[in-house]
Amino acid sequence: MAARSRASATMANKWSQYLLVFAHEHIDFRMPEFQSILSILNIMAEVKETEDKENPFLLLRLPSEESGRKIMSRTVLGKYLLELWASASTYTELYEKLRHCPQELISSHCRPDISFKVRVNSYGKTMKQPRQLELIDEVTEVVPFQGKVELRNPDQTFYLLEYYGTDPNNAPEKPYDIYFGRLISDGQRELINRYSVKKRHFIGNTSMAADLSLIMANQAMARPNMLVMDPFVGTGSLLVACAHFGAYVTGTDIDYNIIHGRGKSSRRDANKYRGPNESIRTNMKLYNLEKFYIDVMVADASRNIWRQQSIFDAIITDPPYGIREATRKIGSSKDYTIEEEQIAAHVPCSIGYHLADIFTDLLNFAAFYLRLGGRLVYWLPVSRPEYSPDQIPDHPCLTLISNSEQVLNISISRRLVTMEKTREIEEIEDSDSMCAEIKNDIYKGHNAIRKRYFLPRSERMKLKDGKLYNGTENQT
Ligand SMILES: C[S@@+](CC[C@H](N)C(=O)[O-])C[C@H]1O[C@@H](n2cnc3c(N)ncnc32)[C@H](O)[C@@H]1O
C-alpha cells in the first residue's frame, strides 16, 4: 500500500473514511482525473492508493461528506462513493467491526423514520442471487436498522462489497477484501450517455467519445468563467465537455468544411452530405450549452492568429495523428509570391505537417497563450514497442502533470498528456518562446504513426528491436 496525502496527519485522522468505487475502464486515467478534481475543487484528501492499479477501490479520508458529494459531481471514472463503516478480510471480522460501529453513525442513519436498502456487489467473481440475499439477511441482523426497507427510493442505500482480485479466471474462494458503507453519491456516468457521439447531431470520423472528452475536461480543470480553446477542434466534442462544466469555449480547424458543417456526412443513417444545421453550434444548442459557445474559426494551428499573450485558461485538443485524417498545414515546397490583387481570392496550398512539428508547435502555442497555472491537455500517439517517456514533448514553461495510456491496438496507443504552465516565457533567459523539444524524436518523417499503424504484424514485432523507423527516415 502506498500512502499519499495532501493533508496533515492530525487533520486527516479526524476525517471520516470513504470508499471511492471506480468504473472498470480507462484504469490509467483514474488517479489523474481524481487528482485534477481535487485541485479544481480545492479539496484536501488523504488517499491510500494500492499497488494493484486495477483494484477499483480507493480508500480516502475527506474533511466532510459535502466534499465527497462535490467530487462525485465531477467524476466520470468514479462510479459511487461510500462512507465506509467497516472493512475486513473475513465476514466474522466485518460483522464484529459493524457491531462496534460509532454510535453517531447508527443514530443518524438507522432511525425508524429512515427507509433503507442494502445492495450487494462482488468484484472479480460472479455472485449468485441466493448468496446475495443471504448476505443481506446477515448484515441487516448485525447493523441495527430500524426503518422500513424501501427498494425503489430509499432514504439511505448501503453497499456490501466483495473484492476477489482482478483475474476472474483465478479468483480465490474467499474475497480478499469486504467493505460495508453508506452511499454518499453516484458519479457522473450518466453524462456518457447524455453526450454520446452516437446520438449527436453533428459528428465526424474522429469525434472524441463522450467519456474521454469529459475526462479531458476534468484534466483541463474546466470550470465556470474559464476560456478554453481547442486548436484542432474538428466537430467540437472537447468543447461540449468543457462547456458542460461551465467554461466558455472556442477553437480552430484547418478544414473549412468541418467548421462550416459542409461536405460528406459521417452519420450512417444520414444523406450523403451534411444538412444545413450540422454544425458545432447546433450541437451546443441541442445540449443547451450555446451560452458557453463563443465560436470557431478556420485557421492553421501552425500559424499564429491570436494577438494577446496568456489569454486562454486551458488548451484541450486531439491533434491529427495522420491515421484517419491527413496531417496538413499551409505552405508550399515552391517559392512564389502572390500578386496583391489576387490575395483575396487566393486559396493557399498545403504541405505535410510532421507529427513532431505538430506537438512542438502545440507546446510553444500553449506556453505563450496559456495563463500562468492554465493547463494543456492533449493526446499523443505513440508506437508501444518503441515508447519511452522521453518521447513526451517538453517546454521550460510547462510542467508535466500526468501521462496516461489508452491502448489502440497491439502496436499503437495514445497518451493523454496533461501539462501546467508554471513559468512565463519572459522568465526564460536567452530564449524565445519557440523552445519546445522532444528529446527522443523517433517520429520525424511524415505520417510516421500511420506507417506503424498499418504495418503487418510480423513487421510490428521488429519495432521492438528498434529496427524500423529508428529516427533515421525522413520521407515526406
Ligand atoms: C483528431 S481530429 C479532432 C477531432 C475533434 N476532437 C472532434 O471531436 O471532432 C483533428 C482535427 O485537426 C484538424 N487539423 C489538421 N491539421 C490541422 C492544422 N494544421 N491546423 C488546424 N487544424 C488541423 C483536422 O481537420 C481535424 O478536424
Side-chain angles (χ1 to χ4, degrees):
M1 281 271 210
R4 192 146 43 92
S5 168
R6 296 185 66 225
S8 79
T10 21
M11 277 167 80
N13 282 342
K14 292 189 192 141
W15 298 348
S16 301
Q17 200 166 32
Y18 294 86
L19 185 74
L20 177 57
V21 183
F22 285 111
H24 194 74
E25 60 177 15
H26 304 310
I27 288 163
D28 213 20
F29 300 71
R30 286 174 178 166
M31 288 315 291
E33 192 211 36
F34 177 74
Q35 296 289 2
S36 298
I37 293 172
L38 291 183
S39 303
I40 296 167
L41 301 169
N42 205 10
I43 291 175
M44 290 204 287
E46 192 191 67
V47 181
K48 219 177 194 186
E49 263 185 85
T50 60
E51 269 152 31
D52 174 8
K53 270 182 116 184
E54 297 209 8
N55 186 331
F57 301 111
L58 183 70
L59 285 165
L60 302 170
R61 282 189 185 277
L62 293 172
S64 66
E65 188 173 316
E66 185 49 27
S67 54
R69 283 186 206 285
K70 285 186 183 162
I71 293 170
M72 300 316 283
S73 74
R74 296 254 351 184
T75 178
V76 178
L77 291 176
K79 259 168 98 172
Y80 50 93
L81 180 75
L82 305 182
E83 175 186 64
L84 191 62
W85 284 24
S87 65
S89 49
T90 65
Y91 276 100
T92 317
E93 194 191 339
L94 185 89
Y95 294 153
E96 193 51 29
K97 284 187 178 171
L98 283 176
R99 281 191 193 96
H100 296 101
C101 211
Q103 195 46 44
E104 63 265 25
L105 286 183
I106 306 290
S107 55
S108 315
H109 306 297
C110 301
R111 295 199 314 255
D113 59 325
I114 295 179
S115 62
F116 74 99
K117 81 170 168 191
V118 176
R119 300 188 65 168
V120 177
N121 281 343
S122 117
Y123 287 77
K125 193 174 185 174
T126 313
M127 191 194 287
K128 299 227 165 86
Q129 207 192 18
R131 175 66 182 148
Q132 291 182 9
L133 295 175
E134 192 185 336
L135 286 170
I136 292 174
D137 281 347
E138 278 179 21
V139 81
T140 46
E141 289 277 301
V142 175
V143 180
F145 293 113
Q146 296 180 56
K148 264 196 325 193
V149 173
E150 188 79 68
L151 295 183
R152 285 237 170 127
N153 202 5
D155 296 322
Q156 297 290 351
T157 301
F158 293 84
Y159 275 83
L160 180 66
L161 305 172
E162 289 185 345
Y163 180 55
Y164 288 88
T166 48
D167 182 359
N169 298 324
N170 283 313
E173 204 188 315
K174 302 230 158 105
Y176 293 118
D177 303 304
I178 313 164
Y179 302 100
F180 184 82
R182 180 175 67 91
L183 178 67
I184 299 298
S185 175
D186 288 320
Q188 299 301 307
R189 306 288 298 160
E190 60 94 15
L191 295 181
I192 299 173
N193 184 33
R194 191 194 305 173
Y195 293 118
S196 165
V197 171
K198 283 189 203 145
K199 298 191 284 182
R200 192 171 293 169
H201 188 66
F202 173 51
I203 56 166
N205 291 340
T206 54
S207 293
M208 182 61 68
D211 52 352
L212 293 172
S213 303
L214 290 157
I215 293 167
M216 288 177 79
N218 273 330
Q219 302 274 100
M221 296 173 59
R223 54 195 187 279
N225 299 321
M226 275 178 69
L227 176 57
V228 178
M229 148 75 179
D230 181 350
F232 299 93
V233 73
T235 58
S237 311
L238 308 181
L239 303 192
V240 168
C242 293
H244 169 80
F245 291 119
Y248 294 105
V249 293
T250 183
T252 56
D253 200 289
I254 200 169
D255 186 343
Y256 178 95
N257 280 343
I258 212 135
I259 290 291
H260 292 279
R262 306 253 174 103
K264 286 196 177 155
S265 175
S266 301
R267 297 169 62 87
R268 275 202 208 127
D269 56 340
N271 294 329
K272 211 170 165 198
Y273 289 95
R274 288 188 173 119
N277 287 328
E278 284 192 54
S279 65
I280 300 180
R281 185 177 289 282
T282 308
N283 282 348
M284 290 288 185
K285 253 189 211 161
L286 293 174
Y287 290 135
N288 211 6
L289 295 172
E290 200 186 2
K291 64 179 175 205
F292 300 114
Y293 180 58
I294 295 175
D295 210 341
V296 290
M297 287 183 283
V298 180
D300 177 355
S302 72
R303 310 241 162 175
N304 180 13
I305 58 161
W306 304 93
R307 284 197 194 155
Q308 199 185 322
Q309 194 176 343
S310 309
I311 40 171
F312 301 120
D313 297 296
I315 295 168
I316 177 170
T317 198
D318 180 26
Y321 321 145
I323 295 176
R324 279 190 275 178
E325 81 278 70
T327 57
R328 312 289 301 169
K329 65 176 178 177
I330 291 167
S332 169
S333 48
K334 293 182 200 141
D335 194 12
Y336 65 93
T337 40
I338 308 148
E339 301 301 326
E340 186 75 32
E341 65 274 15
Q342 291 174 342
I343 285 180
H346 175 71
V347 178
C349 24
S350 64
I351 52 170
Y353 195 4
H354 293 186
L355 270 189
D357 296 336
I358 291 182
F359 292 101
T360 48
D361 285 353
L362 178 64
L363 265 69
N364 287 327
F365 176 74
F368 196 78
Y369 289 107
L370 271 181
R371 66 156 172 82
L372 209 57
R375 284 192 169 184
L376 165 66
V377 180
Y378 71 95
W379 289 101
L380 178 77
V382 297
S383 158
R384 298 183 70 208
E386 296 164 288
Y387 172 70
S388 69
D390 57 2
Q391 289 162 11
I392 305 293
D394 232 356
H395 191 289
C397 295
L398 303 172
T399 303
L400 185 67
I401 301 291
S402 62
N403 162 16
S404 321
E405 184 186 28
Q406 185 200 15
V407 175
L408 299 180
N409 68 24
I410 185 175
S411 58
I412 300 291
S413 68
R414 55 181 178 183
R415 307 197 72 100
L416 183 61
V417 180
T418 302
M419 308 186 93
E420 201 161 285
K421 181 166 168 184
T422 43
R423 284 166 89 187
E424 286 293 1
I425 296 282
E426 293 74 22
E427 292 173 39
I428 307 168
E429 279 172 32
D430 302 328
S431 173
D432 62 15
S433 59
M434 314 298 271
C435 44
E437 62 163 350
I438 304 176
K439 291 204 177 71
N440 177 2
D441 178 9
I442 63 163
Y443 308 120
K444 282 201 185 96
H446 187 41
N447 282 337
I449 284 288
R450 184 187 171 83
K451 283 174 192 158
R452 286 164 167 82
Y453 190 85
F454 289 109
L455 271 183
R457 195 186 156 90
S458 55
E459 295 289 297
R460 282 184 201 156
M461 299 328 283
K462 287 188 204 159
L463 289 172
K464 273 192 178 140
D465 311 325
K467 282 184 186 150
L468 289 173
Y469 305 113
N470 205 3
T472 49
E473 56 151 9
N474 195 12
Q475 303 153 21
T476 49

